[in-house]
Structure formats: structure tokens, C-alpha cells
């Protein structure tokens, strides 16, 4: 009894190891499926549709396209935020599509695809100020929140700016409305939210298209997964050149969605980050 | 015991940030002190004036200002008050250092309310016969005040006024909420940038303490040099 238990444990371990070793394109095609790790809790990247109980989202659509190009079935596996990279490294998933931020530290652990979503910190300005580009804010007073990465990022992008920080983003926004500064800088998502809350007066405001700093989300594969990264990037390039990538972005992030972004300010064409 | 990085405080960009914060705090306190003393004296005289409506005016000022927290004053003078100004004046203000100006206005009004009460009690400590003697010599009310009562009253008021100055010095830290880059603000910025909370707030604490002790020391010296000698 004990021996059979032990041997089955060894068998399981072996199968895990073997799954880990052969995860390149040929192995995936052999299996007939690609296991994609996703969060399932991060709308609109991947979340459970309350009606169908299926995981849907921006990253899920991208994963489906990749599976289609490989000619295999996509299998989604829900994983926790902290488990993302370990699950990939241990071979339990072939591909991560899990709201993973591409940063320099993680490059040593996994291989990143081209960035599929680029967000960042942006500036909200009054249209009457005539400011339409970031560099017009040089030397001006810029308002933001204390404690985050906003202030260092503003000074990196605009070293001559005079930054005034407040305890809450509401106070900083109020100061902008009163004309106490030229721009209010915050994370893009927070800014869109605030913009919506201004209500009818929002017509008098604009969010500058350029990012002060960027955060890129990318798909990730194991370091030893051979030509899988190439295959993933090929699918992404196809989606980008056919315009489907833009459509997918607008479907999940565009007008009428919770994110309510008017347009896409990035392209899926680079796997480099700053 | 976490390691304490002195080098952060002794040189480099964070040292400069903290030092510029300290200088701005001292400037705020000095400008406020210079503005609030005459205002406090004026309010005290209002409250002691023989004319009833002036007394009420002084009373209303003191009670309305000192019963509202300084934080509320600060936010009011930064976010609300300037909005009532005519547009051209407002734009001129906003183009300048509106943060520091609002902070000085709030601190001045707040400090003056407390100081005026100390000055008033100082004046009341001088026997009424002194004023009557002045009037008997043919001086008017204001002249007897200026020449006879106030010189004696201000001398006994020094100790409580020093105490109010200490309060003012510490109250400058509230200006951080309207984005004035004073010592507390800079300590917060350095903490955000370096995650060195202990070092940055140790600097702020010791700076507040040192300046406070200097003020107390100056007060003790003044008492010893002038007040005691005169009363002997």
C-alpha cells in the first residue's frame, strides 16, 4: 500500500516534470491543447461572466486567437496573483495571460511577449489652458496626490515642473478646477473615473494622450519554451496588422465599458519596457 | 533596531529637500509672527474699547476663529476663500505661490486670536488706576493706553506670547495639507522616495524640537535680562 502510494506520487511528479520540459510548440500541438493561466478576477482582462459562468475578457480573447493559430484547444486555468510565475515555471501552465506587468526584475524569470496593454499616468488639463501636449507643461504648476509614484514620475518627465501634492486626489482635482495648477496627474484608470465624475463640466477638460510613465501588461512563457514566444508574438502581430487588436481593445476597454477609454493610445509591437 | 542611515540626512538631494523644508517653515513662522502681533494687539484693544459695538466685534473675531480647528482654517483659506475674489485678482494670486499665501493668512488669523487674548489679559493685569492717572494728566484714551498701560502690559505678556509663538511654530506643519513644501511636507516626500520613514521624521522631529528650544531659550534670556531686573 505504502509502496503503491509512493510510486503513484513519483509518477505524478514525473508527469509534472515531463510537462515542464516539453512545452514548446511541438509539444503543445502534440497534446492538442494549450494551458493558459489567467486570473479570472480582473475585469476586463479576465473575469467570470455572471450569466454563462465562463471566464471571458481581453486576455481570454487574445489566448483564444493564439490557440486558434496553433490549431489547439485553449484550456484556461485560474490562478492566484502570487502564484502566476511559479505556476508557469513549474510547467502547470504553458502561457500566462494574467494581467502580468512586464518589468525588468521579472525578465530574469520568464520571457515576455509583446506588450498587449500599455497604461500609464496621464495629465488632465483644462481645455481653456490651451495645453495639448506634455511638453507644454514644463515649468508649470502640476497637481497630484501624495505618497504614490506620481510625483517622481512627473519630475522624471518634466524636471522643471513645480509639483504640488495633496492628501487626496479629490483635493488635487478641486485645485485644478479652481485653476491653481495647469494639470492634474494620476493613474489613467483613476483619471478616467474622476473625469466621469466631473459630470457636465467634463467638456471643458481633456486628458493628454501621452503617458508620463507607462506600465505594460504582457503575456509570458517559460524561459525554456523554445519557439512558443515566437508563435505568440506572431499571432499578436497578425491581430495588430489586421486591426483586430484595436477592435478587441475597444470591445473591453472602449466607450461604453467600465474603463470607457475613447481610443487606444498604444500598439502591440514591442516586447521592450523602460 | 533597524539601521539608521545618517548619510541620507547629512548630504545629497534628500538632505537638501529637508533643509529647504526647514527654511520654509521658519519663513512661514516669521512672516506669520510679524503679521499676527499687530493684529492681535488691535483685536485686544477692540475688546477693551469703551465702545460696545467694537467690543462685540473683537469678541466675535476671537470666538469664531479659535473655536474652529486650524486644519479647517487652512483648507478654507486655500480652497474656498480665494474663489470669492474677482477673477483678475484670483488669476494673479493663482499664478503666484497661492499655497504659501493661504497658509500665512490662515496661520496669522488663527495665531492672532490666541495672542489677542493673552495681550488682553496682560492689559487687564495693569491696575485701572494707571489708565485713570493717564487720563487725569490730560492724555486721551488711546494716548494713555500707548504711553502708560501698554509698555507695562506687553512686558508681562511676553511669557504667554512666547508660548503662542511655540504653538505657531508647530502649527506651520499643518500647511502641508495645502501643498506648502514646508518641513513636514518634505519629510513626507523623502519618506515616499526612500522608504526611510525613521530618518526623515527623525530629522523633522529634531528640527522642530531645536527651533522650539531656541525660542524657549530666547524667552528665558529675555525674562532674566529685562523683566526681573525692572521689577526689582
Amino acid at each position: 500500500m505504502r509502496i503503491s502510494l509512493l510510486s503513484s506520487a513519483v509518477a505524478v511528479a514525473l508527469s509534472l516534470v515531463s510537462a515542464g520540459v516539453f512545452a514548446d510548440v511541438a509539444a503543445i500541438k502534440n497534446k492538442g491543447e494549450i494551458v493558459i493561466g489567467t486570473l479570472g478576477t480582473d475585469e476586463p482582462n479576465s473575469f467570470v461572466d455572471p450569466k454563462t459562468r465562463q471566464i471571458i475578457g481581453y486576455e481570454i480573447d487574445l489566448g483564444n486567437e493564439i490557440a486558434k493559430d496553433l490549431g489547439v484547444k485553449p484550456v484556461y486555468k485560474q490562478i492566484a496573483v502570487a502564484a502566476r510565475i511559479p505556476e508557469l515555471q513549474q510547467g502547470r501552465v504553458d502561457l500566462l495571460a494574467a494581467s502580468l506587468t512586464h518589468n525588468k526584475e521579472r525578465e530574469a524569470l520568464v520571457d515576455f511577449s509583446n506588450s498587449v496593454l500599455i497604461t500609464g499616468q496621464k495629465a488632465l488639463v483644462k481645455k481653456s489652458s490651451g495645453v495639448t501636449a506634455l511638453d507644454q507643461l514644463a515649468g508649470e504648476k502640476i497637481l497630484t496626490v501624495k505618497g504614490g509614484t506620481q510625483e517622481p514620475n512627473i519630475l522624471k518627465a518634466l524636471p522643471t515642473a513645480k509639483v504640488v501634492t495633496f492628501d487626496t486626489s479629490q483635493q488635487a482635482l478641486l485645485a485644478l478646477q479652481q485653476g491653481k495648477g495647469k494639470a492634474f496627474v494620476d493613474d489613467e484608470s483613476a483619471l478616467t473615473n474622476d473625469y466621469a465624475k466631473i459630470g457636465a463640466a467634463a467638456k471643458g477638460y481633456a486628458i493628454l494622450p501621452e503617458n508620463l510613465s507607462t506600465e505594460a501588461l504582457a503575456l509570458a512563457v517559460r524561459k525554456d519554451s523554445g519557439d512558443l514566444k515566437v508563435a505568440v508574438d506572431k499571432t499578436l502581430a497578425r491581430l495588430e496588422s489586421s486591426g483586430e487588436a484595436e477592435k478587441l481593445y475597444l470591445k473591453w476597454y472602449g466607450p461604453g465599458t467600465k474603463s470607457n477609454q475613447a481610443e487606444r493610445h498604444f500598439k502591440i509591437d514591442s516586447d521592450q519596457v523602460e | 533596531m533597524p539601521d539608521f542611515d545618517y548619510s541620507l540626512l547629512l548630504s545629497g538631494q534628500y538632505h537638501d529637500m529637508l533643509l529647504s523644508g526647514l527654511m520654509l517653515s521658519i519663513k512661514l513662522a516669521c512672516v506669520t509672527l510679524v503679521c499676527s502681533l499687530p493684529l492681535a494687539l488691535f483685536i485686544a484693544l477692540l475688546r477693551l474699547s469703551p465702545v460696545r459695538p467694537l467690543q462685540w466685534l473683537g469678541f466675535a473675531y476671537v470666538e469664531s476663529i479659535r473655536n474652529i480647528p486650524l486644519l479647517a482654517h487652512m483648507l478654507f483659506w486655500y480652497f474656498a476663500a480665494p474663489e470669492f475674489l474677482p477673477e483678475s485678482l484670483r488669476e494673479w494670486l493663482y499664478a503666484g505661490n497661492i499655497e504659501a499665501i493661504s497658509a500665512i493668512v490662515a496661520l496669522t488669523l488663527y495665531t492672532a486670536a490666541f495672542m489677542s487674548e493673552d495681550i488682553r489679559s496682560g492689559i487687564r493685569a495693569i491696575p485701572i488706576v494707571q489708565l485713570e492717572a493717564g487720563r487725569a494728566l490730560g492724555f486721551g484714551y488711546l494716548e494713555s493706553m500707548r504711553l502708560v498701560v501698554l509698555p507695562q502690559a506687553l512686558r508681562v505678556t511676553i511669557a504667554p506670547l512666547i508660548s503662542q509663538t511655540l504653538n505657531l511654530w508647530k502649527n506651520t506643519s499643518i500647511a502641508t495639507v495645502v501643498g506648502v513644501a514646508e518641513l513636514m511636507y518634505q519629510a513626507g516626500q523623502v519618506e515616499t522616495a526612500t522608504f526611510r520613514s525613521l530618518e526623515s521624521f527623525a530629522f523633522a522631529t529634531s528640527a522642530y524640537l531645536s527651533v522650539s528650544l531656541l525660542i524657549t531659550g530666547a524667552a528665558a534670556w529675555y525674562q532674566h535680562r529685562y523683566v526681573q531686573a525692572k521689577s526689582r
Side-chain angles (χ1 to χ4, degrees):
Chain A
M1 186 64 191
R2 185 176 288 173
I3 290 169
S4 72
L5 215 114
L6 189 72
S7 59
S8 62
V10 168
V12 168
L14 275 177
S15 67
L16 281 178
V17 169
S18 62
V21 174
F22 307 107
D24 59 0
V25 173
I28 287 168
K29 282 187 173 158
N30 223 1
K31 266 195 303 184
E33 61 177 39
I34 178 168
V35 184
I36 303 176
T38 191
L39 291 180
T41 52
D42 187 26
E43 193 175 348
N45 282 334
S46 60
F47 61 106
V48 177
D49 182 348
K51 288 190 201 107
T52 63
R53 308 302 303 157
Q54 295 292 308
I55 298 180
I56 55 169
Y58 177 64
E59 290 183 322
I60 305 302
D61 283 354
L62 292 177
N64 288 342
E65 292 294 329
I66 290 163
K68 195 173 88 189
D69 282 2
L70 288 172
V72 296
K73 190 164 81 78
V75 175
Y76 291 98
K77 188 175 174 203
Q78 244 184 297
I79 50 181
V81 172
R84 290 176 298 184
I85 290 179
E87 289 273 327
L88 181 68
Q89 285 177 322
Q90 289 164 17
R92 298 199 191 103
V93 299
D94 300 316
L95 176 73
L96 277 184
S99 307
L100 191 69
T101 302
H102 182 172
N103 63 29
K104 289 279 174 207
E105 295 75 37
R106 286 176 177 162
E107 280 179 4
L109 305 171
V110 296
D111 278 345
F112 285 99
S113 73
N114 287 344
S115 303
V116 296
L117 183 72
I118 298 173
T119 61
Q121 287 162 347
K122 286 201 158 96
L124 181 72
V125 297
K126 271 191 181 164
K127 279 186 185 154
S128 59
S129 69
V131 176
T132 52
L134 267 189
D135 52 13
Q136 283 171 273
L137 292 172
E140 299 288 354
K141 208 189 264 180
I142 299 181
L143 314 157
T144 188
V145 205
K146 282 191 184 123
T149 55
Q150 289 89 342
E151 191 185 15
N153 286 336
I154 294 170
L155 290 175
K156 219 183 279 167
L158 301 159
T160 57
K162 293 188 279 287
V163 185
V164 178
T165 61
F166 296 90
D167 286 332
T168 67
S169 62
Q170 287 79 5
Q171 286 179 345
L173 180 62
L174 180 60
L176 174 76
Q177 287 174 299
Q178 295 182 339
K180 289 184 172 106
K182 273 273 154 66
F184 163 47
V185 169
D186 209 346
D187 296 338
E188 192 174 9
S189 54
L191 215 52
T192 326
N193 215 339
D194 289 338
Y195 186 71
K197 280 189 195 141
I198 304 177
K203 270 188 280 186
Y205 294 83
I207 296 176
L208 299 184
E210 297 148 273
N211 283 313
L212 276 123
S213 68
T214 54
E215 183 182 282
L217 299 191
L219 310 180
V221 297
R222 262 189 313 282
K223 285 248 153 216
D224 63 359
S225 60
D227 43 5
L228 182 55
K229 176 180 151 48
V230 180
V232 168
D233 282 343
K234 211 167 118 191
T235 302
L236 293 176
R238 172 178 70 75
L239 295 173
E240 183 62 51
S241 61
S242 70
E244 280 171 84
E246 169 113 26
K247 271 189 214 139
L248 281 181
Y249 176 83
L250 292 176
K251 173 181 169 191
W252 297 106
Y253 283 92
T257 63
K258 279 188 188 164
S259 306
N260 206 14
Q261 301 293 322
E263 52 188 314
R264 193 171 72 141
H265 297 297
F266 65 90
K267 280 196 166 22
I268 302 180
D269 58 2
S270 163
D271 61 356
Q272 299 298 311
V273 293
E274 285 164 28
Chain B
M1 177 76 193
D3 62 319
F4 194 92
D5 187 3
Y6 287 99
S7 63
L8 183 83
L9 303 180
L10 296 179
S11 61
Q13 103 186 80
Y14 300 119
H15 166 83
D16 295 345
M17 280 168 76
L18 290 167
L19 211 61
S20 80
L22 175 60
M23 294 317 289
L24 186 59
S25 285
I26 292 176
K27 270 187 226 160
L28 276 183
C30 289
V31 174
T32 304
L33 186 62
V34 169
C35 297
S36 57
L37 270 178
L39 180 61
L41 183 60
F42 177 69
I43 304 294
L45 291 180
L46 276 187
R47 289 202 73 172
L48 292 170
S49 102
V51 187
R52 268 289 156 83
L54 293 184
Q55 287 178 19
W56 291 335
L57 196 66
F59 174 79
Y61 175 88
V62 170
E63 295 309 328
S64 62
I65 297 280
R66 74 171 176 181
N67 290 317
I68 296 169
L70 177 58
L71 180 61
H73 280 279
M74 206 60 95
L75 294 172
F76 173 79
W77 287 104
Y78 182 70
F79 283 112
E83 291 296 301
F84 298 116
L85 295 172
E87 191 168 341
S88 56
L89 181 61
R90 197 170 68 212
E91 275 172 11
W92 175 81
L93 261 181
Y94 288 178
N97 196 343
I98 176 72
E99 287 78 26
I101 294 171
S102 308
I104 286 171
V105 171
L107 280 170
T108 299
L109 295 179
Y110 190 77
T111 310
F114 286 91
M115 283 184 165
S116 76
E117 285 298 273
D118 289 335
I119 294 175
R120 186 168 72 102
S121 57
I123 294 173
R124 283 165 58 101
I126 307 303
I128 190 74
V129 291
Q130 294 278 333
L131 182 67
E132 287 167 359
R135 300 302 294 268
L137 286 171
F139 294 116
Y141 172 79
L142 282 180
E143 273 192 311
S144 331
M145 258 301 171
R146 186 167 64 85
L147 297 170
V148 181
V149 179
L150 282 183
Q152 305 177 68
L154 290 182
R155 210 166 288 148
V156 299
T157 316
I158 290 295
L161 284 188
I162 291 293
S163 164
Q164 293 302 344
T165 309
L166 284 175
N167 279 339
L168 161 64
W169 165 241
K170 291 174 291 175
N171 284 342
T172 56
S173 62
I174 306 282
T176 185
V177 296
V178 294
V180 181
E182 46 70 66
L183 182 53
M184 216 56 184
Y185 180 95
Q186 296 288 21
Q189 301 294 83
V190 171
E191 184 198 25
T192 305
T194 61
F195 293 101
R196 289 277 174 187
S197 321
L198 191 62
E199 284 83 352
S200 42
F201 286 105
F203 182 95
T205 306
S206 51
Y208 281 117
L209 186 63
S210 317
V211 175
S212 294
L213 288 177
L214 275 179
I215 296 173
T216 314
W221 173 81
Y222 177 87
Q223 290 282 59
H224 181 74
R225 178 81 177 71
Y226 294 100
V227 179
Q228 283 181 352
K230 283 274 164 61
S231 59
R232 232 171 252 150

